[in-house]
Amino acid sequence: VHCGGPAYTDSKGQVWAADSGYVHGESVTSTNTVTGAVDPALYQIARNFPTALKGTIQYSFIIPNEKYPVNMYFSEMNAASYRSGARLFNVSLQYERVFTNLDIFEEAGANAPMIKGADITVNSGQL
């Protein structure tokens, strides 16, 4: 899913579905250059909460029960967060925390691609 954006076909020919299945957040777009990204368009549109608000963005998809690798693409594109600790968040998959206090800037820097992955098992027909 191309979070926050339209359907997209990347340089490998993989099709990313348009943003869907979400609850909360808003789509934001950046014109910043993503240094080192093969497909920068995947990083320039996102779904997040406005800076003044806090909350949870949740995605839900109906899929067959089995094991899946889940890769999430991140880039810190907000100049107000170009410092370690400026934006920390947690990521849960299947209601289990997989990343705690994730800090994109600390790990990747500004306007740089970062991919975080985790393996999950779907038992309820829903991710």
Side-chain angles (χ1 to χ4, degrees):
V1 172
H2 187 200
C3 295
Y8 177 77
T9 301
D10 67 21
S11 60
K12 294 180 182 177
Q14 299 172 117
V15 177
W16 297 68
D19 193 27
S20 64
Y22 62 87
V23 176
H24 302 299
E26 66 182 11
S27 178
V28 294
T29 302
S30 173
T31 58
N32 296 3
T33 300
V34 183
T35 306
V38 175
D39 290 289
L42 290 173
Y43 300 91
Q44 291 173 311
I45 300 175
R47 180 159 297 284
N48 72 0
F49 267 90
T51 304
L53 301 176
K54 292 184 179 183
T56 300
I57 298 171
Q58 179 179 351
Y59 278 84
S60 179
F61 306 100
I62 303 299
I63 59 174
N65 291 339
E66 62 182 84
K67 293 183 180 184
Y68 294 93
V70 176
N71 290 316
M72 295 160 282
Y73 288 51
F74 301 99
S75 184
E76 184 53 76
M77 308 292 281
N78 181 353
S81 297
Y82 289 176
R83 60 183 169 77
S84 296
R87 185 183 348 215
L88 303 174
F89 60 97
N90 302 319
V91 176
S92 296
L93 294 169
Q94 298 306 94
Y95 301 102
E96 292 186 28
R97 178 92 38 95
V98 293
F99 303 111
T100 301
N101 291 324
L102 188 60
D103 186 334
I104 299 167
F105 183 84
E106 175 72 23
E107 290 191 38
N111 305 311
M114 180 175 84
I115 300 173
K116 300 293 276 186
D119 294 324
I120 57 100
T121 300
V122 173
N123 294 315
S124 63
Q126 185 172 350
L127 168 64

